């Protein structure tokens, strides 16, 4: 006879994992179980990559050498709480922002 198979769904909320993430971009989940009849312990690990939202950059005017170039930056906060202490800094060949822009 073929062994029975069953699925169990568990939800990990942001409030539960947020204190443990820090600057990491991944969660390491471990699931363990015991077979009652044999006492055998089974375990499995899963590495879950957290996706960060993308920045969208849009030129708001013509790109002319020697002139300022206005750029719109769009970022959507996916978290259920307000961001604090965030800043935006732009770097690149010939581009300099001496001070980060506080958001």
């Amino acid at each position: 006879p073929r062994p029975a198979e069953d699925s169990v769904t568990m939800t990990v909320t942001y409030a539960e994992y947020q204190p443990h993430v820090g600057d990491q971009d991944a969660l390491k989940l471990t699931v363990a179980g015991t077979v009652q009849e044999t006492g055998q312990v089974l375990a499995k690990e899963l590495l879950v990559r957290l996706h960060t939202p993308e920045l969208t950059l849009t030129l708001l005017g013509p790109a002319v050498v020697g002139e300022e170039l206005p750029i719109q930056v769009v970022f959507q906060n996916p978290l259920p709480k307000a961001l604090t202490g965030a800043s935006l800094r732009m770097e690149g060949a010939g581009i300099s922002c001496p001070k980060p822009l506080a958001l």
Side-chain angles (χ1 to χ4, degrees):
R2 188 173 168 174
E5 184 176 300
D6 198 3
S7 294
V8 177
T9 301
M10 297 178 73
T11 300
V12 181
T13 67
Y14 175 71
E16 291 174 309
Y17 72 78
Q18 184 271 332
H20 308 287
V21 175
D23 292 336
Q24 303 294 322
D25 64 350
L27 296 173
K28 186 176 184 181
L29 303 175
T30 303
V31 176
T34 304
V35 178
Q36 288 182 344
E37 294 80 6
T38 64
Q40 179 183 16
V41 175
L42 305 170
K44 180 76 175 179
E45 287 187 351
L46 176 65
L47 186 64
V48 178
R49 293 263 176 224
L50 301 174
H51 296 283
T52 55
E54 293 187 18
L55 294 175
T56 302
L57 304 175
T58 305
L59 297 178
L60 298 180
V64 178
V65 174
E67 294 186 15
E68 290 186 359
L69 176 61
I71 299 174
Q72 178 187 52
V73 180
V74 177
F75 168 82
Q76 184 173 355
N77 178 10
L79 303 176
K81 65 179 193 176
L83 294 176
T84 58
S87 65
L88 181 66
R89 182 183 315 234
M90 186 175 296
E91 297 177 6
I95 300 173
S96 64
C97 284
K99 297 179 186 175
L101 174 65
L103 304 176

